[in-house]
Amino acid sequence: MWDSLQYLNMQGHWAVLTLCWLGQLCVALNLRPQIANPKLATSNPTLTTIALEKPFCMFDDSLSPGSSYEVYLYAMADSESTVSSAVTDNSSKPLNTTFQDTNGGQLGPYRAALFNVPNCASPPMLADVVNVKKVSDVLKQYLFRVGDDVTCLYDPNFPGACNPPLAQDTTYRFKYLLVDVNAGVVKDQTLWSDPMKTRRVKQSSTIDTWPGRRSGGMIVITSILSTLMFILVAGFLASLYFIVMAPEEAVTETRHESRTTEQGAPRSRGNSEVGNQ
């Protein structure tokens, strides 16, 4: 039952996007950032990143001809006050809070990224995902990965919004803003997203190994057996060595004795001859 509901929800979401791309339905007020389709972003979320769908067709009704716009993405660690947290000041200007200012989103929302408004009239062709030459461009147009920049926190001259790795095993919410670049004010915004949680590191004792999960005792037994097998193999090789080398040493000793006997024989004959004389 739950799988069926999830399937219907996903189908409904794609239907909304399709209608947006056709220019028939674009209402940002009732929309919110969505986690990326698992077919396009596998292993999502990761330990430190969450991939989101870009806001295609969400803000078309708020766009005015001749104006320049950008999309701001805000992130915040989920709490009871997140859904009521504002991302603008009293003059409708977007907050300039950073990752450092908010302790990674724990104290409030921070601006994680800004990018151009996705082109609703010319969206990426999802069928091109199977094309190796086009898949990278399609994913860049369609997705944005929060937490994908591992260097901006350590670069004092980093331009723009810093998008550092997220905390592991932490729940976040996200919000898109449409900002008029010329006026510097927010023209529209989405709701806060549903909670999205990063993964946590698995403990070594919980990791399954082929052909089945092994406990610490089994690992110790396996190590002991491996050591004994090594000793047996070493002993077998040593025995082969002595078996092969022993005959050669025996032959050497035999030759040495035979030469000694041959040298002693003439001396005994010489002594007998002197006695006879």
Side-chain angles (χ1 to χ4, degrees):
M1 183 63 180
W2 175 248
D3 292 340
S4 300
L5 291 175
Q6 284 186 319
Y7 175 79
L8 291 175
N9 185 39
M10 181 175 293
Q11 294 300 317
H13 174 62
W14 281 104
V16 170
L17 286 179
T18 303
L19 291 174
C20 283
W21 289 347
L22 295 176
Q24 297 178 1
L25 179 61
C26 297
V27 181
L29 183 61
N30 296 322
L31 296 179
R32 63 188 70 206
Q34 299 288 333
I35 194 168
N37 189 313
K39 293 182 179 180
L40 300 180
T42 57
S43 300
N44 181 44
T46 66
L47 294 174
T48 58
T49 67
I50 297 177
L52 304 175
E53 296 176 357
K54 286 187 175 180
F56 278 95
C57 308
M58 287 186 178
F59 300 117
D60 280 22
D61 287 349
S62 302
L63 300 177
S64 301
S67 298
S68 179
Y69 296 95
E70 286 182 332
V71 174
Y72 286 18
L73 170 63
Y74 283 81
M76 182 177 178
D78 187 35
S79 65
E80 295 180 358
S81 60
T82 300
V83 293
S84 60
S85 297
V87 292
T88 60
D89 58 19
N90 295 331
S91 57
S92 297
K93 293 184 178 180
L95 298 178
N96 290 324
T97 50
T98 65
F99 185 90
Q100 297 95 322
D101 295 336
T102 62
N103 191 25
Q106 298 292 334
L107 304 178
Y110 69 93
R111 189 174 64 184
L114 56 90
F115 48 84
N116 294 328
V117 180
N119 189 352
C120 184
S122 181
M125 301 299 294
L126 299 183
D128 290 338
V129 173
V130 297
N131 189 327
V132 177
K133 296 181 179 180
K134 297 181 179 181
V135 61
S136 179
D137 292 336
V138 171
L139 294 180
K140 287 180 180 179
Q141 295 180 60
Y142 175 70
L143 304 178
F144 182 82
R145 189 174 291 277
V146 187
D148 200 32
D149 194 334
V150 297
T151 61
C152 63
L153 285 178
Y154 310 102
D155 184 359
N157 299 318
F158 183 81
C162 184
N163 180 32
L166 302 174
Q168 299 177 15
D169 194 24
T170 304
T171 303
Y172 291 88
R173 290 181 185 262
F174 306 97
K175 177 190 280 284
Y176 286 129
L177 272 67
L178 177 68
V179 179
D180 186 329
V181 176
N182 297 328
V185 296
V186 176
K187 301 294 292 185
D188 202 353
Q189 60 183 292
T190 66
L191 302 174
W192 282 102
S193 71
D194 294 329
M196 303 178 193
K197 189 174 185 180
T198 54
R199 296 186 179 184
R200 63 178 178 178
V201 178
K202 288 185 177 181
Q203 300 296 327
S204 58
S205 60
T206 63
I207 298 177
D208 292 338
T209 57
W210 187 88
R213 179 179 175 181
R214 295 181 180 179
S215 62
M218 293 181 64
I219 295 176
V220 172
I221 293 174
T222 303
S223 301
I224 294 174
L225 292 177
S226 300
T227 303
L228 292 176
M229 181 61 67
F230 173 79
I231 294 173
L232 288 175
V233 172
F236 176 75
L237 294 176
S239 62
L240 287 178
Y241 172 82
F242 287 115
I243 292 175
V244 172
M245 295 301 296
E248 294 182 0
E249 295 177 358
V251 171
T252 301
E253 293 176 0
T254 302
R255 290 178 179 177
H256 179 72
E257 292 175 359
S258 62
R259 289 176 182 176
T260 303
T261 303
E262 291 176 357
Q263 292 176 357
R267 292 180 181 178
S268 60
R269 286 196 299 270
N271 293 332
S272 60
E273 291 175 358
V274 173
N276 292 332
Q277 292 177 356

